[in-house]
Amino acid sequence: MIIVTRPNVTDAELDNIRERIETLGMRTHLSRGEHRTIIGCIGDETLLHEAALLSIAGVESVHPVLKPYKLASHEFSNGPSIVRVGDSAEVGGRALAIIAGPCSVEGRDMLRETARSVAASGAGMLRGGAFKPRSSPYAFQGLGEAGLKMLAEVRAETGLPIVTEVMDTRQVEMVAEYADVLQIGARNMQNFSLLSEVGRVQRPVLLKRGMSATIKEFLMAAEYVMAQGNRDVILCERGIRTYETATRNTLDIAAIPVLKAETHLPVMVDPSHAGGRVDLVAPLSFAAIAAGADGLVVEVHPTPETALSDGDQSLTLQNFEKLMRQIRPFAEAAGRTVAGPRTGLRVEAA
Ligand code: PEP
Ligand code: MN
C-alpha cells in the first residue's frame, strides 16, 4: 500500500500517519520528493482495510501495490535511485559507472598494476574476488582475507572503491569491513539467508542475476536485501543460460529496459561473464549502454593468458583503455557521460 501525502503535509502529520500504520503491525518507508512525500506500507495489507486512511490529516490518496516487490518498485520511490559508493563514486547518475578489475585477486602486484591502469583509463571502482565461487572444488578458490587486505591496500593507494564478492553468511561481517560494495554472485542470487544478512549491513550491494532467474525472481532477491533496511542495491545483468553454446551465457538485453520499467534501482551489465569471450566484451558493452544500462562491470587482467580464473574473457590493460574510448559515442547517444582518466587522484602520484 502506498500513501501519498498532501503537498503541505507537516512533520507532525507525517509522524502521526506512520504511527497509525505501525500500530496496525505494518512497517513504513518514507520517500520525500520535491512536491509529495510517499509513505510505503509493508506487511499484511488486510490489516489496513479498517483504518480509514483517507481521513487521517495529511493523507491525499491511498494506492494498493499489486506487484510482489514493494521497496524495489517505482511506487515506493520518487524517481530513479542513485547508489553512492564510498565518497567518490555513484551508480545511477548521468555518468556511467565503470567497475573494472580481475576476476580474482591473485596477488598484490597484479592488483596494483590493474588498479592504476584502469583508474587511468577512467574506471571508477575496482573489482576483484577474494572468495571465488568455482564450479570445481579443485580450482583456485581465491585468497580469502589476504585478498581482501590487498584490495584495501590498493584502495588506499589509488582511491578506487572496491567491489568484492561475499559467498557465505559467515563472511559478511568480515567482507563488509574491507569492501565498499558487497557483490552477491549469480550462484547465490536466491541464497535468501545471505540476501537478508547483507540487508542488515550498511554497504551497497551489487546483486548479480542468477543464471536461470526470471526478472521477477531477480527483483524479489533485491527485495530480500531491501526488506532488512539496506536500500542500496545495484542490479547486474550478467547473462542467462540458454541453449546457445557459442557464448558462455546469453546477455538478456531486454532485461535492461524491462528492469528500468519495473524498478527505481540502478542496472549495470557485466559483458565479461555474459559473453565469456574477449572479442564480445566491446559489442555487448555498446548494446548495454544503448539499451539504458547505468554502467559496466568488466574483467581486466595484466596478462589474461596466466589468469587463475576467467582469462578467456578478461581484457588486457590496453584493451580496457581502448574500450573506454570506444564506449564514448554510445554513452553520448544514450545521454550519458563517461569519466575521463582519474587525474588528481592519489593514483597519479603513486
Ligand atoms: C564474478 O564476478 O567473477 C562472478 C563469479 O560472476 P557471476 O556470479 O556473475 O558468475
Ligand atoms: Mn569471473
Side-chain angles (χ1 to χ4, degrees):
M1 188 84 77
I2 297 286
I3 297 175
V4 180
T5 61
R6 295 190 190 285
N8 53 354
V9 68
T10 65
D11 284 346
E13 284 171 337
L14 276 177
D15 287 346
N16 179 48
I17 301 168
R18 295 184 81 175
E19 206 181 303
R20 292 274 295 271
I21 304 298
E22 285 165 12
T23 48
L24 289 165
M26 297 189 82
R27 283 187 292 142
T28 61
H29 169 256
L30 209 66
S31 177
R32 282 181 196 270
E34 223 174 286
H35 304 293
R36 290 277 190 286
T37 295
I38 292 170
I39 303 174
C41 310
I42 309 145
D44 178 5
E45 295 205 350
T46 57
L47 296 169
L48 291 180
H49 288 161
E50 304 296 311
L53 299 170
L54 280 170
S55 67
I56 307 175
V59 173
E60 183 173 275
S61 56
V62 177
H63 310 268
V65 180
L66 303 173
K67 298 261 165 61
Y69 31 91
K70 315 268 178 212
L71 295 163
S73 74
H74 283 294
E75 285 91 336
F76 268 64
S77 169
N78 270 301
S81 290
I82 296 182
V83 174
R84 290 179 209 291
V85 178
D87 42 36
S88 68
E90 63 178 35
V91 186
R94 204 163 112 75
L96 290 177
I98 307 291
I99 301 175
C103 178
S104 309
V105 176
E106 297 172 8
R108 195 173 279 102
D109 291 347
M110 66 80 71
L111 191 65
R112 183 180 288 129
E113 185 184 355
T114 309
R116 287 183 182 169
S117 179
V118 297
S121 300
M125 289 175 250
L126 175 68
R127 63 149 288 149
F131 294 95
K132 294 303 302 177
R134 304 305 301 279
S135 306
S136 164
Y138 310 117
F140 176 59
Q141 304 287 310
L143 297 178
E145 190 168 6
L148 296 176
K149 289 200 160 93
M150 291 173 196
L151 283 162
E153 270 176 46
V154 171
R155 169 183 49 206
E157 290 171 17
T158 62
L160 285 181
I162 54 182
V163 182
T164 197
E165 180 161 352
V166 55
M167 285 173 53
D168 192 297
T169 50
R170 291 166 296 184
Q171 298 160 351
V172 171
E173 210 181 299
M174 187 221 292
V175 178
E177 256 176 54
Y178 296 95
D180 297 289
V181 176
L182 299 172
Q183 176 173 322
I184 300 290
R187 291 155 193 80
N188 268 320
M189 191 210 80
Q190 282 191 316
N191 180 338
F192 299 116
S193 34
L194 182 59
L195 296 172
S196 295
E197 199 63 33
V198 298
R200 286 189 274 270
V201 292
Q202 290 309 314
R203 281 278 179 285
V205 172
L206 179 72
L207 178 64
K208 300 190 88 176
R209 181 179 180 182
M211 56 189 91
S212 321
T214 63
I215 287 172
K216 186 170 154 188
E217 287 163 342
F218 191 16
L219 287 170
M220 289 311 285
E223 191 79 14
Y224 257 92
V225 178
M226 299 175 89
Q228 295 303 323
N230 187 350
R231 305 282 148 83
D232 291 334
V233 179
I234 303 158
L235 303 170
C236 179
E237 160 63 38
R238 45 75 76 205
I240 51 176
R241 192 166 271 188
T242 67
Y243 53 79
E244 183 55 72
T245 55
T247 50
R248 182 172 180 182
N249 292 287
T250 298
L251 180 61
D252 184 4
I253 280 289
I256 304 160
V258 170
L259 285 166
K260 289 275 167 192
E262 293 294 312
T263 181
H264 56 90
L265 297 173
V267 180
M268 296 187 77
V269 165
D270 173 345
S272 308
H273 291 85
R277 284 170 31 187
V278 160
D279 60 317
L280 298 179
V281 174
L284 296 183
S285 299
F286 304 157
I289 294 167
D294 293 300
L296 302 171
V297 182
V298 184
E299 286 188 339
V300 181
H301 195 287
T303 52
E305 64 281 8
T306 69
L308 297 179
S309 59
D310 287 349
D312 290 344
Q313 64 194 36
S314 298
L315 297 185
T316 58
L317 306 178
Q318 296 72 20
N319 279 339
F320 176 72
E321 195 268 329
K322 185 172 167 201
L323 176 73
M324 290 299 286
R325 279 186 280 116
Q326 287 176 315
I327 61 176
R328 268 173 203 283
F330 295 91
E332 272 162 35
R336 315 299 288 252
T337 58
V338 183
R342 291 168 68 89
T343 49
L345 273 177
R346 275 158 286 176
V347 66
E348 294 295 301

